[in-house]
Amino acid sequence: MNLRKKTWMVLGLIFTVTMAWAQEPSAWKTLEKPLNFYLANDLGRNGYYDQKPIAEVMGKMAETIDVEFVVAAGDVHHFEGVRSVDDPLWLTNYELIYSHPDLMLPWYPILGNHEYRGNTQAVLDYSNVSARWQMPSRYYTKVIEEDGTTIRLVMIDTSSLLDKYREDTAKYPDACKQDMDKQLAWIDSVLAVAREDWVMVVGHHPIYADTDKDESERSDMQKRVDSLLRKHDNVDMYVCGHIHNFQHIRKSDSDIDYVVNTSGSLAREVKPVKGTLFCSGATGFSLVTVDKNELCLYMMEKNGEVLHTVRRSK
């Protein structure tokens, strides 16, 4: 091998290593607030693509920042969901991937459309198997308090709210069995009494987004979910996944930040639409930090760089 080729190989290796940890832990530390958590979704690729490297970055960042839990916004399992609590996919999509000691945290999941292709009850029942998998119901709410700061998470089951899934009984057999009106009434009732410092609604499907997915998904979400969010003047963010890219959208007639979190394994291209403040086809996850005066959602690329910040202040 000639000297020039060796030189380029060494330079390439240095560049690769530098890019892998481009963000220093000291820079991550500056993002920390009294309450910090991750948002991750569209994960399950058996460790392939960027899933393992992103899981490693999440663990490394949690060594520096006091991350308290993970919000898993659906599609932890591709492609046909799981068959039972003993399905090997629990190991290859989840347990063996997010194995860093600092990721042994509570995980608060919701169902995505891919979970609805399999045994949805098994996803809930896995809470009886794993100490960190905490999913009490298909939709639920949690209030977290830290140093006098409170945030309410309203975790909703969006697949069962969309006609596309309810009508496809062969592929999504459980969707039509869920009482849509009951869930919508529950969302309304929870938001009606939410008095926390911050309110974040978490679903799998977007309300507004650039995507080639069926337009009916967004129209159903706008009609059924967004109408409720706008009815109550206390929702700060609606966050979701499903589209496999980062998007931050604001509508002129709403004070809500609509956030699409990217895939933690395999991403897709994206372009701006009306109301887009930021978009990126990078893989990664989001870090959310909270104090009494500020709620920040940092869109983190797979190497730990902050691509965009969604910031709300009191």
Side-chain angles (χ1 to χ4, degrees), residues 32-94:
E32 187 177 42
K33 284 184 168 60
L35 175 60
N36 313 279
F37 61 93
Y38 287 145
L39 172 65
N41 48 264
D42 298 277
L43 306 173
R45 301 277 176 168
N46 293 295
Y48 282 83
Y49 303 100
D50 289 330
Q51 191 182 13
K52 282 183 179 178
I54 290 170
E56 290 171 5
V57 172
M58 291 171 66
K60 188 173 180 67
M61 184 179 293
E63 293 176 3
T64 302
I65 296 175
D66 184 17
V67 176
E68 297 197 21
F69 56 90
V70 180
V71 172
D75 284 2
V76 172
H77 299 289
H78 287 84
F79 291 89
E80 304 298 327
V82 291
R83 293 295 172 261
S84 70
V85 295
D86 299 315
D87 195 313
L89 289 176
W90 285 109
L91 292 177
T92 58
N93 279 338
Y94 179 58

Side-chain angles (χ1 to χ4, degrees), residues 191 207-208 222 225-235 250-256 258:
L191 294 179
I207 296 173
Y208 303 100
Q222 291 162 23
V225 177
D226 198 32
S227 60
L228 292 176
L229 307 190
R230 291 172 183 243
K231 174 183 174 181
H232 301 279
D233 190 27
N234 56 359
V235 177
R250 288 293 298 265
K251 308 301 287 185
S252 60
D253 58 348
S254 174
D255 187 45
I256 299 169
Y258 299 93

Side-chain angles (χ1 to χ4, degrees), residues 94-239:
Y94 179 58
E95 298 289 359
L96 298 179
I97 307 301
Y98 305 96
S99 57
H100 191 285
D102 286 296
L103 295 180
M104 297 297 121
L105 305 164
W107 285 57
Y108 303 132
I110 55 173
L111 297 168
N113 54 293
H114 284 285
E115 276 87 8
Y116 261 96
R117 293 189 184 187
N119 182 344
T120 54
Q121 186 59 45
V123 182
L124 278 71
D125 291 345
Y126 197 66
S127 300
N128 300 321
V129 175
S130 169
R132 57 177 172 164
W133 190 265
Q134 300 186 20
M135 188 177 183
S137 182
R138 291 171 189 267
Y139 50 90
Y140 57 99
T141 186
K142 291 196 68 68
V143 175
I144 298 96
E145 181 175 2
E146 189 68 37
D147 289 352
T149 299
T150 56
I151 183 170
R152 178 180 290 272
L153 302 175
V154 185
M155 313 289 285
I156 68 174
D157 178 24
T158 57
S159 295
S160 65
L161 299 177
L162 305 184
D163 291 342
K164 169 184 173 180
Y165 302 105
R166 296 181 69 87
E167 293 169 0
D168 190 347
T169 57
K171 187 177 288 186
Y172 308 98
D174 282 352
C176 67
K177 298 175 184 177
Q178 309 311 311
D179 190 332
M180 177 169 61
D181 293 335
K182 183 178 179 181
Q183 182 182 179
L184 294 174
W186 175 86
I187 295 170
D188 192 18
S189 67
V190 170
L191 294 179
V193 299
R195 299 291 183 268
E196 289 70 30
D197 296 319
W198 308 100
V199 177
M200 176 181 287
V201 180
V202 183
H204 182 65
H205 292 82
I207 296 173
Y208 303 100
D210 168 60
T211 175
D212 59 1
K213 304 279 188 183
D214 291 348
E215 179 61 33
S216 66
E217 294 183 13
R218 266 92 58 223
S219 61
D220 283 351
M221 287 292 293
Q222 291 162 23
K223 176 175 61 177
R224 292 166 183 162
V225 177
D226 198 32
S227 60
L228 292 176
L229 307 190
R230 291 172 183 243
K231 174 183 174 181
H232 301 279
D233 190 27
N234 56 359
V235 177
D236 294 289
M237 291 185 190
Y238 175 77
V239 301

